[in-house]
C-alpha cells in the first residue's frame, strides 16, 4: 500500500511539474515489521507506521513523506507539518465474503475477521451475537486467509485499499458497508503529505496536487481525534463531509469498552472552521 501511494504521489507531482525529478525512498517502519510478527498488537501502539519516516524527514534524508492519513499521529515532531492531502478515496468499509451481505446479516452467529476494534464494536452493536477473530497482514494476506479458513464468514476492510491495490477477489463478494452502519476511522481513505515546515520549496510543489476539500475534512477529523485524546487505533470513528462547498458536517462515534453502547454525536458549521468543529465534537463526546 505504501509503495502504491508513493507512486501515486510521484505521478501527480511529475504531471504537475514536468521538469521535476522525483526519487522514491523506501523505508521499513515498525508497523511493517509487526505485520509479519507476533509482537505487540498494532491496536496498542502509536505512530508505528510513521516514526522512521518522520525521522528521515527531520534528518533531511527525504523531502516529502507519504502516509495513510489515518496512521499519521495527531502530534507531529517539532519542525514537521501536514502540507497537503490528495483527493480522498471512498471512505466506507467493506465486507469480503462468500455469501451476499443480506445472507451474512441473517446468520445468528457469523464469524468475521478484523484487526479493528472500531469495526468490531460497531458491528456487534447491531448484531451482538457476531463473533470475531483477529487478522493481520496486507490485503492480499487477509484475503488468502479468508480463502484458507472456511469457517470464516468474511473479513472487514477499508474500500480505499481495495480500490488502490485491486487485489484478486475472484469467487468472493465485496459488499460496501454504509457509513450509518460502520463509521470509518478518522481520515480513512485519505493520503497525507508531510514535509518540513522550513522547506518552503517542497511545500510549494505540494500545493499544486493537494485537494483542498479533502484537506479540510482531514483537518476536522484530526482535530477531533487530538482533542479526544485517542490514538489512531482507538475504537473511534469520525467522518467529515462538505456540502455546497461551504458547510461541513462532522459525525463521530466512540466506544469506552467492549459491549458498551457507542457514544454518537454530530455537529455542523462553516468549513472555514474545520478544526474548531472537530474540537467541539470531541468536547460533546467527552462530556
Amino acid at each position: 500500500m505504501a509503495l502504491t501511494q508513493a507512486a501515486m504521489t510521484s505521478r501527480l507531482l511529475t504531471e504537475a511539474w514536468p521538469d521535476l525529478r522525483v526519487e522514491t525512498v523506501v523505508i521499513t517502519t515498525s508497523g511493517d515489521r509487526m505485520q509479519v510478527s507476533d509482537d505487540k498488537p498494532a491496536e496498542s501502539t502509536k505512530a508505528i507506521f510513521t516514526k522512521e519516516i518522520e525521522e528521515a524527514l527531520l534528518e533531511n534524508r527525504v523531502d516529502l513523506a507519504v502516509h495513510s492519513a489515518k496512521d499519521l499521529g495527531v502530534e507531529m515532531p517539532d519542525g514537521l507539518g501536514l502540507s497537503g492531502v490528495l483527493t480522498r478515496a471512498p471512505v466506507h468499509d467493506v465486507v469480503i465474503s462468500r455469501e451476499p451481505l443480506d445472507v451474512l446479516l441473517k446468520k445468528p452467529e457469523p464469524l468475521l475477521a478484523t484487526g479493528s476494534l472500531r469495526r468490531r464494536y460497531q458491528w456487534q452493536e447491531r448484531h451482538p451475537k457476531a463473533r470475531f477473530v483477529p487478522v493481520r497482514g496486507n490485503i492480499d494476506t487477509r484475503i488468502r486467509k479468508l480463502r484458507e479458513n472456511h469457517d470464516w464468514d468474511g473479513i472487514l476492510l477499508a474500500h480505499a485499499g481495495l480500490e488502490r491495490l485491486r487485489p484478486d477477489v475472484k469467487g468472493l463478494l465485496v459488499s460496501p458497508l454504509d457509513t450509518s452502519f460502520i463509521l470509518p476511522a478518522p481520515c480513512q481513505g485519505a493520503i497525507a503529505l508531510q514535509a518540513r515546515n522550513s522547506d518552503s520549496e517542497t511545500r510549494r510543489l505540494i500545493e499544486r496536487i493537494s485537494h483542498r476539500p479533502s484537506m479540510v475534512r482531514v483537518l476536522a477529523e484530526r482535530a477531533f481525534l487530538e482533542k479526544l485524546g485517542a490514538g489512531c487505533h482507538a475504537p473511534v470513528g469520525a467522518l467529515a463531509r462538505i456540502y455546497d462547498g461551504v458547510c461541513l458536517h462532522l459525525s463521530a462515534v466512540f466506544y469506552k469498552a467492549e459491549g458498551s453502547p457507542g457514544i454518537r454525536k454530530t455537529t455542523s458549521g462553516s468549513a472555514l472552521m474545520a478544526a474548531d468543529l472537530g474540537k467541539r465534537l470531541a468536547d460533546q463526546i467527552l462530556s
Side-chain angles (χ1 to χ4, degrees), residues 123-275:
W123 190 293
Q124 285 182 315
E125 192 168 5
R126 295 279 192 98
H127 303 277
K129 292 186 178 181
R131 298 169 297 143
F132 289 84
V133 293
V135 63
R136 297 170 68 183
N138 59 36
I139 290 176
D140 287 328
T141 298
R142 298 183 190 207
I143 292 174
R144 175 178 56 78
K145 289 181 178 180
L146 173 63
R147 295 185 190 278
E148 294 172 349
N149 291 275
H150 294 283
D151 57 330
W152 291 10
D153 291 299
I155 56 175
L156 303 178
L157 298 169
H159 178 90
L162 299 181
E163 182 179 84
R164 290 170 184 150
L165 295 181
R166 303 289 181 183
D168 179 14
V169 292
K170 185 177 181 180
L172 299 171
L173 299 174
V174 179
S175 303
L177 300 173
D178 193 88
T179 56
S180 62
F181 180 14
I182 295 186
L183 206 59
C187 306
Q188 183 163 300
I191 297 176
L193 307 180
Q194 186 184 37
R196 292 181 294 276
N197 294 331
S198 60
D199 188 353
S200 57
E201 177 59 18
T202 296
R203 294 169 71 85
R204 183 181 69 86
L205 297 174
I206 294 171
E207 283 182 6
R208 189 171 289 186
I209 65 170
S210 181
H211 184 245
R212 182 61 183 170
S214 297
M215 179 76 160
V216 169
R217 295 170 67 193
V218 164
L219 289 175
E221 293 167 27
R222 283 175 60 81
F224 163 78
L225 198 59
E226 181 178 17
K227 186 64 182 289
L228 193 67
C232 59
H233 295 288
V236 55
L239 178 61
R241 295 183 176 92
I242 297 178
Y243 296 97
D244 300 324
V246 294
C247 182
L248 187 141
H249 180 83
L250 182 60
S251 304
V253 60
F254 175 75
Y255 291 85
K256 292 189 292 184
E258 183 174 4
S260 65
I263 302 171
R264 299 176 183 272
K265 296 291 180 181
T266 62
T267 190
S268 298
S270 170
L272 298 175
M273 305 295 290

Side-chain angles (χ1 to χ4, degrees), residues 64-80:
L64 169 63
V66 180
H67 304 283
S68 291
K70 70 177 184 177
D71 293 329
L72 185 61
V74 293
E75 296 180 3
M76 294 190 196
D78 290 341
L80 301 183

